[in-house]
Amino acid sequence: MSEPVARSQVSEVPRTRRGVLLGGATVLASAPLWTTLLAPDAAAAVRPASPLDAADAPVTPELTPERVLHLLQAGNQRWIAGRLRHPHQTVARREQVAAGQHPLATVFSCIDSRVPPEIVFDRGVGDLFVVRTAAQTNDGLVQGAVEYGVEESLTPLLVVMGHQRCGAVTFAVETLNAGREAPAHLKDVVDALRPAYEAAKGLPGDQVDNTIRAQIRLTVFQLQHDELLEPYEREGRAQVVGAYYSLDSGAVDFCV
Ligand SMILES: [Zn+2]
């Protein structure tokens, strides 16, 4: 089991040393490939953040899954209450993360225009990896992107977030109920939602909402059993959680 890693440590040490700090042989072994492809200078010096950013920085610098979940919940409470602080949205922050990124979490969510993760969690630049597809439907490319967030930047929390009245799920349910075939690549979306549709079929209550929640649970299950992510979860270095966003209240329920 590795020791918790302070945010300041993660930000200031070379990438290969980060692997040593975390005791992560997998991270260390694969870092050069990712570094070459996507993060040419992640070990560069980091400039001090603005006073606003500092005020919003974690009080306890340990980036455990629990700590990150608390930060996201706190941001969502600000969104619900209309008291946004817009952390990490300054020029200083932009310049700080230009040299390298160490996001808090990966969020895999729907493309819906009403559910932007950075806003509903009141976070800013460099805080979140965000992967978005219709009804957060998963495939190999998505799974690879999610793996990247954990493997490369060691984001300790992975949030799978569906939402109330999801249009893509509604479309899939209507299509499957009618026995129709969706046109073009919408068929791929419907096919990807078929397991959730089948899981929710016949349950009491609203069929669309049941399917939305089933899709969240199934996607969490898929990611928890991902070949690359599973060891991180087992060792407590990363956690996959489901979340349901209410369009009406703005609240994110992590109890899905
Ligand atoms: Zn949606």
Side-chain angles (χ1 to χ4, degrees):
M1 184 69 100
S2 64
E3 294 295 319
V5 177
R7 182 175 183 79
S8 58
Q9 288 177 307
V10 173
S11 299
E12 293 166 4
V13 297
R15 182 163 305 280
T16 49
R17 192 175 155 212
R18 282 171 50 207
V20 173
L21 281 169
L22 287 165
T26 306
V27 175
L28 186 59
S30 62
L33 172 62
W34 292 115
T35 303
T36 302
L37 291 173
L38 292 165
D41 191 15
V46 176
R47 295 169 56 173
S50 73
L52 177 61
D53 291 345
D56 191 68
V59 177
T60 304
E62 297 170 0
L63 283 178
T64 62
E66 294 77 16
R67 176 65 183 156
V68 174
L69 182 60
H70 174 77
L71 287 171
L72 296 187
Q73 288 174 320
N76 182 240
Q77 287 299 317
R78 297 194 297 271
W79 167 244
I80 294 168
R83 293 196 296 268
L84 294 172
R85 292 171 60 185
H86 305 288
H88 292 168
Q89 297 183 23
T90 60
V91 171
R93 174 63 171 179
R94 185 187 72 212
E95 293 174 350
Q96 178 191 42
V97 297
Q101 60 173 335
H102 305 289
L104 298 166
T106 298
V107 180
F108 176 31
S109 61
C110 181
I111 59 170
D112 195 291
S113 65
R114 301 164 293 181
V115 196
E118 283 90 347
I119 293 178
V120 305
F121 292 122
D122 193 23
R123 301 306 313 181
V125 173
D127 286 342
L128 303 175
F129 274 123
V130 177
V131 185
R132 300 178 70 172
T133 64
Q136 72 278 354
T137 41
N138 197 6
D139 67 7
L141 289 172
V142 167
Q143 201 121 340
V146 170
E147 288 175 353
Y148 172 77
V150 176
E151 176 83 345
E152 165 64 12
S153 289
L154 309 168
T155 56
L157 190 70
L158 169 54
V159 180
V160 176
M161 185 164 67
H163 67 95
Q164 185 183 28
R165 295 192 290 275
C166 179
V169 171
T170 302
F171 173 80
V173 167
E174 290 174 352
T175 300
L176 292 169
N177 280 347
R180 292 195 304 263
E181 183 158 313
H185 289 291
L186 283 175
K187 181 178 183 303
D188 297 337
V189 175
V190 173
D191 286 346
L193 287 168
R194 189 184 295 271
Y197 171 84
E198 295 294 345
K201 204 172 182 181
L203 293 178
D206 182 81
Q207 186 185 15
V208 169
D209 201 63
N210 288 336
T211 306
I212 290 167
R213 294 174 186 275
Q215 171 65 3
I216 296 167
R217 285 193 294 270
L218 286 172
T219 308
V220 167
F221 181 85
Q222 288 170 349
L223 295 179
Q224 284 176 333
H225 293 82
D226 177 272
E227 177 185 2
L228 189 148
L229 301 178
E230 195 274 338
Y232 285 90
E233 275 234 304
R234 191 174 59 243
E235 296 163 13
R237 292 190 288 157
Q239 186 177 358
V240 184
V241 296
Y244 178 97
Y245 177 78
S246 167
L247 295 176
D248 292 335
S249 69
V252 176
D253 176 8
F254 283 97
C255 299
V256 175

